[in-house]
Amino acid sequence: MANTDLTALTGDYTIDAAHSTIGFTVRHAMVTNVKGKFVDFSGSLHLDGADPSASTASIDVKMESIDTGSADRDGHLKSADFFKIDEFPTMTFRSTKAEALGDEDYRITGDLEILGTTRPITIDLEFNGAAKDPFGNERVGFEGKAEIKRSEWGLTWNAALETGGVLVSDKIKLNFDISAIKNA
């Protein structure tokens, strides 16, 4: 949404998980992409329209809520081969830096914790706009993307293919569609 008065958006927001998506794409068997998402998550944003660098984000994801459209695959991802959800039930993101890149583009850097390992990631964001919904809620929307190497968080399970290569790529594409409601 062009020409938005960002100073009017300054405040604290709660992520509306029912209207947001935290998803991922991973190459499978070297030939196709498998997409998935996390269904159960919560988070908050602090937006500072006058000084976007003072903005922050915090997200907690329940790992048991992973959904790839295959119960067997989801079960494997929840197991000790991957996310070890009994030991590490939550993935977290805490921002450490926010930058305005110009136009509607922003970049947020923060700490992503998976399996007890915390590493920095950078998420490129596009501001999709702000609106008052029919229920009187002030909303903001952002779309974001990032790439990570899952091995950097200890996610190393794999299987070799007869034709060469591996079953699951190391590179994971993360995508975010976030709708947040301004706190009263």
Side-chain angles (χ1 to χ4, degrees):
M1 178 181 233
N3 301 321
T4 301
D5 179 9
L6 294 180
T7 56
L9 301 178
T10 296
D12 295 315
Y13 292 77
T14 299
I15 293 174
D16 178 4
H19 296 99
S20 299
T21 303
I22 297 176
F24 59 89
T25 304
V26 60
R27 178 82 64 195
H28 181 261
M30 307 294 291
V31 297
T32 190
N33 288 319
V34 169
K35 295 182 180 189
K37 63 184 176 182
F38 296 96
V39 179
D40 190 355
F41 57 90
S42 60
S44 61
L45 309 174
H46 171 75
L47 301 182
D48 189 324
D51 180 9
S53 69
S55 298
T56 61
S58 173
I59 299 173
D60 296 309
V61 177
K62 296 199 186 228
M63 299 307 286
E64 68 185 352
S65 74
I66 195 165
D67 180 5
T68 64
S70 167
D72 288 344
R73 180 173 41 234
D74 294 347
H76 190 204
L77 289 169
K78 294 174 189 179
S79 78
D81 284 344
F82 286 95
F83 290 119
K84 304 176 186 172
I85 68 163
D86 291 337
E87 188 178 351
F88 301 101
T90 307
M91 171 175 62
T92 63
F93 174 79
R94 302 290 183 262
S95 67
T96 56
K97 180 180 179 183
E99 304 169 78
L101 302 178
D103 294 325
E104 306 296 320
D105 297 325
Y106 297 86
R107 180 171 292 141
I108 192 159
T109 302
D111 294 326
L112 178 65
E113 181 181 336
I114 305 171
L115 296 176
T117 298
T118 303
R119 297 193 45 82
I121 69 166
T122 299
I123 304 168
D124 290 323
L125 295 168
E126 181 179 348
F127 176 60
N128 286 343
K132 183 177 276 197
D133 70 20
F135 308 102
N137 297 310
E138 296 287 341
R139 289 183 176 269
V140 293
F142 292 91
E143 261 182 89
K145 62 184 176 183
E147 285 189 6
I148 64 170
K149 289 186 176 182
R150 64 187 179 94
S151 60
E152 294 180 350
W153 282 266
L155 292 162
T156 57
W157 182 92
N158 226 326
L161 300 175
E162 283 183 28
T163 55
V166 292
L167 187 63
V168 183
S169 70
D170 192 30
K171 182 172 75 173
I172 308 292
K173 296 177 183 176
L174 304 175
N175 56 71
F176 308 88
D177 285 305
I178 301 297
S179 177
I181 298 171
K182 193 171 193 177
N183 299 344

